[in-house]
Amino acid sequence: MKTNSQNYKIKNHLVRLGSITGLEAWDSYRVRCLPRRIADLRELGMPITSERKRDLQGQRYVRYVLDEPQEAAQLNLL
């Protein structure tokens, strides 16, 4: 059940804000393995893309972006 609640939190975050990073997921929801949660949501049909980025210090990270927020919000995935 914990996985479903994490998936639900990440899905709602993406629908509301459009994107999320691993640091945001940890700070906001204590989700430690965001790539697994994103994979779960993709398997359920959410159109999520990965954007590889670098911060000001050169540290690499991935921002997960919801491609079609309005359509995804209507999906009853969880």
Side-chain angles (χ1 to χ4, degrees):
M1 284 301 212
K2 188 164 185 105
T3 299
N4 285 338
S5 67
Q6 288 183 348
N7 288 345
Y8 182 79
K9 290 174 185 177
I10 298 302
K11 174 195 175 264
N12 285 337
H13 182 98
L14 287 169
V15 169
R16 282 185 294 112
L17 301 176
S19 68
I20 193 168
T21 66
L23 185 58
E24 292 168 345
W26 172 249
D27 285 344
S28 298
Y29 311 111
R30 294 298 186 245
V31 172
R32 296 180 82 184
C33 190
L34 182 60
R36 182 65 248 170
R37 303 289 70 83
I38 294 298
D40 290 344
L41 293 172
R42 284 176 174 157
E43 289 173 9
L44 294 171
M46 286 192 76
I48 302 169
T49 57
S50 304
E51 296 179 352
R52 287 164 173 53
K53 304 216 174 232
R54 287 186 184 260
D55 66 13
L56 296 175
Q57 291 78 34
Q59 181 70 38
R60 292 179 290 184
Y61 66 97
V62 177
R63 177 168 292 279
Y64 297 97
V65 180
L66 185 59
D67 291 337
E68 301 164 6
Q70 293 171 341
E71 290 180 25
Q74 296 173 0
L75 293 174
N76 189 14
L77 303 176
L78 305 171

